[in-house]
Coordinates of all heavy atoms in Angstrom, one line a residue:
M1 N 0.8 -1.2 0.0 CA 0.0 0.0 0.0 C 0.9 1.2 0.0 O 1.9 1.3 0.7 CB -0.9 0.0 1.2 CG -2.0 1.0 1.2 SD -3.1 0.8 2.6 CE -2.7 2.2 3.5
A2 N 0.5 2.2 -0.8 CA 1.3 3.5 -0.9 C 1.1 4.3 0.4 O 0.1 4.2 1.0 CB 0.8 4.3 -2.1
T3 N 2.2 4.9 0.8 CA 2.1 5.8 2.0 C 2.4 7.2 1.5 O 3.1 7.5 0.6 CB 3.1 5.4 3.1 OG1 4.4 5.4 2.5 CG2 2.7 4.0 3.6
Y4 N 1.8 8.2 2.2 CA 1.9 9.6 1.9 C 2.3 10.4 3.1 O 1.9 10.0 4.2 CB 0.6 10.2 1.3 CG 0.2 9.4 0.1 CD1 -0.7 8.4 0.2 CD2 0.6 9.8 -1.2 CE1 -1.2 7.7 -1.0 CE2 0.2 9.1 -2.3 CZ -0.7 8.0 -2.2 OH -1.1 7.3 -3.3
D5 N 3.1 11.4 2.9 CA 3.6 12.2 4.0 C 3.5 13.7 3.7 O 4.3 14.2 3.0 CB 5.0 11.8 4.4 CG 5.6 12.6 5.5 OD1 4.8 13.2 6.3 OD2 6.8 12.7 5.6
Y6 N 2.4 14.3 4.1 CA 2.1 15.7 3.8 C 1.8 16.4 5.1 O 1.3 15.8 6.1 CB 1.0 15.9 2.8 CG 1.3 15.4 1.5 CD1 0.8 14.1 1.1 CD2 2.0 16.1 0.6 CE1 1.1 13.6 -0.2 CE2 2.3 15.6 -0.7 CZ 1.8 14.4 -1.1 OH 2.1 13.9 -2.3
D7 N 2.1 17.7 5.2 CA 1.7 18.5 6.3 C 0.2 18.9 6.2 O -0.5 19.1 7.2 CB 2.6 19.8 6.4 CG 4.0 19.4 6.6 OD1 4.3 18.6 7.5 OD2 4.9 20.0 6.0
I8 N -0.2 19.1 5.0 CA -1.6 19.6 4.8 C -2.2 19.0 3.5 O -1.4 18.9 2.5 CB -1.7 21.2 4.8 CG1 -3.1 21.7 4.6 CG2 -0.8 21.7 3.7 CD1 -3.2 23.2 4.8
G9 N -3.4 18.6 3.5 CA -4.1 18.1 2.4 C -5.3 19.0 2.1 O -6.1 19.3 3.0
I10 N -5.5 19.5 0.8 CA -6.5 20.4 0.4 C -7.4 19.7 -0.6 O -6.8 19.2 -1.7 CB -6.0 21.7 -0.1 CG1 -5.1 22.4 1.0 CG2 -7.1 22.6 -0.6 CD1 -4.0 23.2 0.5
I11 N -8.7 19.6 -0.4 CA -9.6 19.0 -1.4 C -10.2 20.2 -2.2 O -10.9 21.0 -1.7 CB -10.6 18.1 -0.8 CG1 -10.0 17.0 0.0 CG2 -11.6 17.6 -1.8 CD1 -10.9 16.2 0.8
G12 N -9.9 20.2 -3.5 CA -10.5 21.2 -4.4 C -9.6 22.3 -4.8 O -9.0 23.0 -4.0
G13 N -9.3 22.3 -6.1 CA -8.4 23.3 -6.7 C -9.1 24.5 -7.3 O -8.7 25.0 -8.4
G14 N -10.1 25.0 -6.6 CA -10.8 26.3 -7.0 C -10.0 27.5 -6.4 O -8.9 27.3 -5.9
A15 N -10.7 28.6 -6.4 CA -10.1 29.8 -5.8 C -9.6 29.6 -4.4 O -8.5 30.0 -4.1 CB -11.1 31.0 -5.9
A16 N -10.4 29.0 -3.6 CA -10.1 28.8 -2.2 C -8.9 27.9 -2.0 O -7.9 28.2 -1.3 CB -11.3 28.4 -1.4
G17 N -9.1 26.7 -2.6 CA -8.0 25.7 -2.5 C -6.7 26.1 -3.0 O -5.6 25.8 -2.4
L18 N -6.7 26.8 -4.2 CA -5.4 27.3 -4.8 C -4.8 28.3 -3.9 O -3.5 28.3 -3.7 CB -5.7 27.8 -6.1 CG -6.0 26.8 -7.2 CD1 -6.4 27.6 -8.5 CD2 -4.8 25.9 -7.5
T19 N -5.6 29.2 -3.2 CA -5.0 30.2 -2.3 C -4.4 29.5 -1.1 O -3.3 29.9 -0.7 CB -6.2 31.1 -1.9 OG1 -6.8 31.7 -3.1 CG2 -5.6 32.2 -1.0
V20 N -5.1 28.6 -0.5 CA -4.6 27.9 0.6 C -3.3 27.1 0.3 O -2.3 27.1 1.0 CB -5.6 27.0 1.3 CG1 -5.0 26.1 2.4 CG2 -6.8 27.8 1.8
A21 N -3.4 26.4 -0.8 CA -2.2 25.6 -1.3 C -1.0 26.4 -1.5 O 0.1 26.1 -1.1 CB -2.6 24.8 -2.5
S22 N -1.2 27.6 -2.2 CA -0.1 28.5 -2.5 C 0.5 29.0 -1.2 O 1.7 29.1 -1.0 CB -0.6 29.6 -3.4 OG 0.3 30.6 -3.5
G23 N -0.4 29.5 -0.3 CA 0.1 30.0 1.0 C 0.8 29.0 1.8 O 1.9 29.2 2.4
A24 N 0.3 27.7 1.9 CA 0.9 26.7 2.7 C 2.3 26.3 2.1 O 3.2 26.2 2.8 CB 0.0 25.5 2.7
A25 N 2.3 26.2 0.8 CA 3.6 25.9 0.1 C 4.7 26.9 0.4 O 5.8 26.7 0.6 CB 3.4 25.6 -1.4
Q26 N 4.2 28.2 0.3 CA 5.2 29.3 0.5 C 5.7 29.3 1.9 O 6.8 29.8 2.2 CB 4.5 30.6 0.2 CG 4.4 30.9 -1.3 CD 3.7 32.2 -1.6 OE1 3.9 33.2 -1.0 NE2 2.8 32.2 -2.7
L27 N 4.9 28.8 2.9 CA 5.3 28.7 4.3 C 6.2 27.5 4.5 O 6.6 27.2 5.7 CB 4.1 28.7 5.2 CG 3.3 30.1 5.3 CD1 2.0 29.9 6.0 CD2 4.2 31.2 5.9
G28 N 6.4 26.7 3.5 CA 7.2 25.5 3.6 C 6.5 24.2 3.9 O 7.2 23.2 4.2
A29 N 5.2 24.2 4.0 CA 4.5 23.0 4.3 C 4.5 22.1 3.1 O 4.4 22.5 1.9 CB 3.0 23.3 4.7
K30 N 4.6 20.8 3.3 CA 4.5 19.8 2.3 C 3.0 19.7 2.0 O 2.2 19.2 2.8 CB 5.1 18.4 2.7 CG 6.6 18.4 2.7 CD 7.2 17.1 3.3 CE 6.9 16.0 2.4 NZ 7.5 14.7 3.0
T31 N 2.6 20.1 0.8 CA 1.2 20.4 0.5 C 0.7 19.4 -0.6 O 1.3 19.3 -1.6 CB 1.1 21.8 0.0 OG1 1.6 22.7 1.0 CG2 -0.4 22.2 -0.2
L32 N -0.5 18.8 -0.3 CA -1.2 18.0 -1.2 C -2.5 18.7 -1.6 O -3.3 19.1 -0.8 CB -1.5 16.7 -0.6 CG -2.5 15.7 -1.4 CD1 -1.7 15.2 -2.6 CD2 -3.0 14.6 -0.5
L33 N -2.7 18.9 -2.9 CA -3.9 19.4 -3.5 C -4.6 18.4 -4.4 O -4.0 17.9 -5.3 CB -3.6 20.7 -4.3 CG -4.7 21.4 -5.0 CD1 -5.7 22.0 -3.9 CD2 -4.2 22.6 -5.8
V34 N -5.8 18.1 -4.1 CA -6.6 17.1 -4.8 C -7.7 17.8 -5.6 O -8.5 18.5 -5.0 CB -7.1 16.0 -3.9 CG1 -7.9 15.0 -4.7 CG2 -6.1 15.3 -3.1
E35 N -7.7 17.6 -6.9 CA -8.8 18.2 -7.7 C -9.4 17.1 -8.5 O -8.7 16.3 -9.2 CB -8.2 19.3 -8.6 CG -9.2 19.8 -9.7 CD -10.5 20.3 -9.1 OE1 -10.5 21.2 -8.2 OE2 -11.5 19.8 -9.6
K36 N -10.8 17.0 -8.5 CA -11.4 15.9 -9.2 C -11.6 16.2 -10.7 O -11.7 15.3 -11.5 CB -12.8 15.7 -8.6 CG -13.8 16.8 -8.9 CD -15.2 16.4 -8.3 CE -16.2 17.5 -8.6 NZ -17.5 17.2 -8.1
E37 N -11.5 17.5 -11.1 CA -11.6 17.8 -12.6 C -10.3 17.7 -13.2 O -9.2 17.7 -12.5 CB -12.3 19.2 -12.8 CG -13.6 19.4 -12.2 CD -14.7 18.5 -12.9 OE1 -14.4 18.1 -14.0 OE2 -15.7 18.2 -12.3
K38 N -10.3 17.8 -14.5 CA -9.0 17.7 -15.3 C -8.2 19.0 -15.1 O -7.0 18.9 -15.1 CB -9.4 17.5 -16.8 CG -8.2 17.3 -17.7 CD -8.7 16.9 -19.1 CE -9.6 17.9 -19.8 NZ -9.0 19.1 -20.3
D39 N -8.9 20.1 -15.0 CA -8.1 21.4 -14.9 C -8.4 22.0 -13.5 O -9.5 22.0 -13.0 CB -8.6 22.4 -16.0 CG -8.4 21.8 -17.4 OD1 -7.2 21.4 -17.6 OD2 -9.3 21.8 -18.2
L40 N -7.4 22.7 -13.0 CA -7.5 23.5 -11.8 C -8.3 24.8 -12.1 O -8.3 25.2 -13.2 CB -6.1 23.8 -11.2 CG -5.3 22.7 -10.7 CD1 -3.9 23.2 -10.4 CD2 -5.9 22.0 -9.5
G41 N -8.8 25.4 -11.1 CA -9.4 26.7 -11.3 C -10.8 26.9 -10.7 O -11.2 28.0 -10.4
G42 N -11.5 25.8 -10.7 CA -12.9 25.9 -10.2 C -13.8 26.8 -10.9 O -13.6 27.2 -12.0
D43 N -14.9 27.2 -10.2 CA -16.0 27.9 -10.8 C -15.5 29.3 -11.2 O -15.9 29.8 -12.3 CB -17.1 28.1 -9.8 CG -18.1 27.0 -9.8 OD1 -17.9 26.1 -10.6 OD2 -19.1 27.0 -9.1
C44 N -14.7 30.0 -10.4 CA -14.3 31.3 -10.8 C -13.6 31.4 -12.1 O -13.9 32.3 -12.9 CB -13.3 31.9 -9.7 SG -12.9 33.6 -9.8
L45 N -12.7 30.5 -12.3 CA -11.9 30.5 -13.6 C -12.7 30.1 -14.8 O -12.7 30.6 -15.9 CB -10.6 29.7 -13.5 CG -9.7 29.7 -14.7 CD1 -9.2 31.1 -15.0 CD2 -8.5 28.7 -14.5
H46 N -13.5 29.0 -14.6 CA -14.1 28.3 -15.7 C -15.6 28.8 -16.0 O -16.0 28.7 -17.2 CB -14.1 26.8 -15.5 CG -12.7 26.3 -15.4 ND1 -11.8 26.3 -16.5 CD2 -12.0 25.8 -14.4 CE1 -10.7 25.8 -16.1 NE2 -10.8 25.5 -14.8
F47 N -16.3 29.2 -15.0 CA -17.7 29.6 -15.2 C -18.1 30.9 -14.6 O -19.1 31.5 -15.1 CB -18.6 28.5 -14.6 CG -18.3 27.1 -15.0 CD1 -17.6 26.3 -14.0 CD2 -18.5 26.6 -16.2 CE1 -17.3 25.0 -14.4 CE2 -18.1 25.3 -16.6 CZ -17.5 24.5 -15.7
G48 N -17.5 31.3 -13.6 CA -17.9 32.5 -12.8 C -17.2 33.8 -13.2 O -17.4 34.4 -14.3
C49 N -16.3 34.2 -12.3 CA -15.7 35.6 -12.4 C -15.1 35.9 -13.8 O -15.5 36.9 -14.4 CB -14.6 35.7 -11.4 SG -14.8 34.8 -9.8
V50 N -14.2 35.0 -14.2 CA -13.4 35.3 -15.4 C -14.3 35.3 -16.7 O -14.4 36.3 -17.4 CB -12.2 34.4 -15.6 CG1 -11.5 34.6 -16.9 CG2 -11.3 34.5 -14.4
P51 N -15.1 34.3 -17.0 CA -16.0 34.3 -18.2 C -17.0 35.4 -18.1 O -17.3 36.0 -19.1 CB -16.6 32.9 -18.2 CG -15.8 32.1 -17.3 CD -15.2 33.0 -16.3
S52 N -17.6 35.7 -16.9 CA -18.7 36.7 -16.9 C -18.1 38.1 -17.1 O -18.8 38.9 -17.8 CB -19.4 36.6 -15.5 OG -18.6 37.0 -14.5
K53 N -16.9 38.3 -16.6 CA -16.3 39.6 -16.8 C -15.9 39.8 -18.3 O -15.9 40.8 -18.9 CB -15.1 39.9 -15.9 CG -15.5 40.5 -14.6 CD -16.6 39.7 -13.9 CE -17.2 40.2 -12.6 NZ -18.1 39.2 -12.1
T54 N -15.4 38.7 -18.9 CA -15.1 38.7 -20.3 C -16.3 39.0 -21.2 O -16.2 39.8 -22.1 CB -14.4 37.3 -20.7 OG1 -13.3 37.1 -19.9 CG2 -14.0 37.3 -22.2
L55 N -17.4 38.3 -20.8 CA -18.7 38.6 -21.6 C -19.1 40.0 -21.4 O -19.5 40.6 -22.4 CB -19.7 37.6 -21.1 CG -21.1 37.7 -21.7 CD1 -21.0 37.4 -23.2 CD2 -22.1 36.7 -21.1
A56 N -19.1 40.5 -20.2 CA -19.5 41.9 -19.9 C -18.6 42.9 -20.7 O -19.1 43.8 -21.3 CB -19.4 42.2 -18.4
S57 N -17.3 42.6 -20.8 CA -16.4 43.5 -21.5 C -16.7 43.4 -23.0 O -16.7 44.5 -23.7 CB -14.9 43.1 -21.3 OG -14.6 43.3 -20.0
A58 N -17.0 42.2 -23.5 CA -17.3 42.0 -24.9 C -18.6 42.8 -25.3 O -18.6 43.4 -26.4 CB -17.4 40.5 -25.3
V59 N -19.6 42.7 -24.4 CA -20.8 43.4 -24.7 C -20.6 44.9 -24.7 O -21.1 45.6 -25.6 CB -21.9 43.0 -23.6 CG1 -23.1 43.9 -23.7 CG2 -22.3 41.5 -23.8
H60 N -19.8 45.3 -23.7 CA -19.5 46.8 -23.7 C -18.8 47.2 -24.9 O -19.2 48.3 -25.5 CB -18.7 47.0 -22.4 CG -18.4 48.5 -22.2 ND1 -19.3 49.4 -21.7 CD2 -17.3 49.2 -22.4 CE1 -18.8 50.6 -21.6 NE2 -17.6 50.5 -22.0
L61 N -17.9 46.5 -25.4 CA -17.1 46.8 -26.6 C -18.0 46.8 -27.8 O -18.0 47.7 -28.6 CB -16.0 45.8 -26.8 CG -15.0 46.1 -27.9 CD1 -14.2 47.4 -27.6 CD2 -14.0 44.9 -28.0
F62 N -18.9 45.8 -27.9 CA -19.9 45.7 -29.0 C -20.8 46.9 -29.0 O -21.0 47.5 -30.1 CB -20.7 44.4 -28.8 CG -21.8 44.2 -29.9 CD1 -21.5 43.8 -31.1 CD2 -23.1 44.5 -29.6 CE1 -22.4 43.6 -32.1 CE2 -24.1 44.4 -30.5 CZ -23.8 43.9 -31.8
C63 N -21.2 47.3 -27.9 CA -22.1 48.5 -27.8 C -21.4 49.7 -28.2 O -22.0 50.6 -28.9 CB -22.7 48.6 -26.4 SG -23.9 47.4 -26.0
C64 N -20.1 49.8 -27.8 CA -19.3 51.0 -28.2 C -19.1 51.1 -29.7 O -19.3 52.2 -30.3 CB -18.0 51.0 -27.5 SG -18.1 51.3 -25.7
I65 N -18.7 50.0 -30.2 CA -18.4 49.9 -31.7 C -19.7 50.2 -32.5 O -19.7 50.9 -33.4 CB -17.9 48.5 -32.1 CG1 -16.5 48.4 -31.5 CG2 -17.9 48.3 -33.6 CD1 -15.9 47.0 -31.6
G66 N -20.8 49.6 -32.0 CA -22.1 49.8 -32.7 C -22.8 51.2 -32.4 O -23.8 51.5 -33.0
G67 N -22.2 51.9 -31.5 CA -22.8 53.2 -31.2 C -24.0 53.2 -30.3 O -24.7 54.1 -30.2
F68 N -24.2 52.0 -29.7 CA -25.3 51.9 -28.7 C -24.8 52.3 -27.3 O -23.9 51.7 -26.8 CB -25.9 50.4 -28.7 CG -26.3 50.0 -30.1 CD1 -25.6 49.0 -30.7 CD2 -27.4 50.5 -30.7 CE1 -26.0 48.5 -32.0 CE2 -27.8 50.0 -31.9 CZ -27.1 49.1 -32.6
P69 N -25.5 53.2 -26.7 CA -25.0 53.6 -25.4 C -25.3 52.5 -24.3 O -26.4 51.8 -24.4 CB -25.8 54.8 -25.1 CG -27.1 54.7 -25.9 CD -26.6 54.0 -27.1
M70 N -24.4 52.3 -23.4 CA -24.6 51.3 -22.3 C -25.4 52.0 -21.2 O -25.1 53.2 -20.9 CB -23.3 50.8 -21.8 CG -22.5 49.9 -22.7 SD -23.3 48.3 -22.7 CE -22.8 47.7 -21.1
R71 N -26.3 51.3 -20.6 CA -27.0 51.8 -19.4 C -26.4 51.1 -18.2 O -26.3 49.9 -18.2 CB -28.5 51.5 -19.5 CG -29.2 52.4 -20.4 CD -30.7 52.3 -20.2 NE -31.4 52.9 -21.3 CZ -32.5 52.5 -21.8 NH1 -33.0 51.4 -21.3 NH2 -33.1 53.1 -22.8
N72 N -26.1 51.9 -17.2 CA -25.5 51.3 -15.9 C -26.6 50.9 -15.0 O -27.7 51.5 -14.9 CB -24.5 52.2 -15.3 CG -23.2 52.3 -16.1 OD1 -22.8 51.3 -16.7 ND2 -22.7 53.4 -16.2
Ligands
FAD101 C1 -21.5 33.9 -12.7 C2 -20.6 34.0 -11.6 C3 -19.8 35.1 -11.4 C4 -18.9 35.3 -10.4 N1 -18.2 36.4 -10.3 C5 -17.4 36.6 -9.2 C6 -16.6 37.8 -9.1 O1 -16.6 38.6 -10.0 N2 -15.8 37.9 -8.0 C7 -15.8 37.0 -7.0 O2 -15.0 37.2 -6.1 N3 -16.5 35.8 -7.1 C8 -17.3 35.6 -8.2 N4 -18.1 34.5 -8.2 C9 -18.0 33.5 -7.1 C10 -16.8 32.6 -7.3 O3 -16.8 31.9 -8.5 C11 -16.8 31.7 -6.1 O4 -16.8 32.4 -4.9 C12 -15.5 30.8 -6.1 O5 -15.4 30.1 -7.3 C13 -15.5 29.9 -4.9 O6 -14.3 29.2 -4.9 P1 -14.1 27.8 -4.1 O7 -12.7 27.4 -4.3 O8 -14.7 28.0 -2.8 O9 -15.1 26.8 -4.9 P2 -15.1 26.3 -6.4 O10 -14.6 27.4 -7.4 O11 -16.4 25.7 -6.6 O12 -13.9 25.2 -6.4 C14 -14.2 23.9 -5.8 C15 -13.2 23.0 -6.5 O13 -13.3 21.7 -5.8 C16 -13.4 20.7 -6.7 N5 -14.0 19.5 -6.0 C17 -15.2 19.4 -5.5 N6 -15.4 18.3 -4.9 C18 -14.3 17.6 -5.0 C19 -13.8 16.3 -4.5 N7 -14.6 15.5 -3.9 N8 -12.6 15.9 -4.8 C20 -11.7 16.8 -5.4 N9 -12.1 18.0 -5.9 C21 -13.3 18.4 -5.7 C22 -14.2 21.2 -7.8 O14 -14.0 20.5 -9.0 C23 -13.6 22.6 -7.9 O15 -12.5 22.7 -8.8 C24 -18.9 34.3 -9.3 C25 -19.7 33.1 -9.5 C26 -20.5 33.0 -10.5 C27 -21.4 31.7 -10.6

């Protein structure tokens, strides 16, 4: 049976898990990060913050180019 030796184990490589893993590793902890999906990043990177702000920017740009004023 395999044995593992880590100071901290983090489940989930989303915004929270990545932040904790990064901080723990910088403090010198032997850090294990487990992510069930193929890519790290979680909701913020793949579905939430980043795509929604990209879409909002694209809409804003489209409205500017088309001469349609944006309403806030
Ligand atoms: C449309 C939208 C826009 C948003 N915009 C913003 C914004 O502008 N600013 C902002 O601050 N926040 C925004 N958010 C919120 C932000 O996305 C979340 O607060 C953030 O993703 C939470 O991060 P998390 O790491 O807690 O969870 P998640 O991002 O959900 O990450 C959890 C990770 O754990 C993994 N996981 C789950 N179960 C297991 C398991 N059993 N084993 C291994 N891995 C597992 C998942 O695959 C995932 O990668 C937005 C959300 C949405 C939906």
Side-chain angles (χ1 to χ4, degrees):
M1 192 174 111
T3 58
Y4 302 93
D5 180 21
Y6 293 98
D7 296 316
I8 183 172
I10 299 148
I11 299 173
L18 287 173
T19 303
V20 173
S22 170
Q26 283 177 41
L27 290 171
K30 286 174 69 179
T31 305
L32 171 71
L33 177 65
V34 180
E35 169 56 53
K36 70 175 180 177
E37 300 294 339
K38 185 168 59 72
D39 299 311
L40 294 172
D43 273 2
C44 187
L45 182 62
H46 300 292
F47 311 106
C49 328
V50 176
S52 66
K53 273 54 185 182
T54 303
L55 180 62
S57 295
V59 169
H60 184 74
L61 190 63
F62 177 79
C63 289
C64 292
I65 291 170
F68 302 109
M70 287 286 289
R71 286 195 193 140
N72 291 323

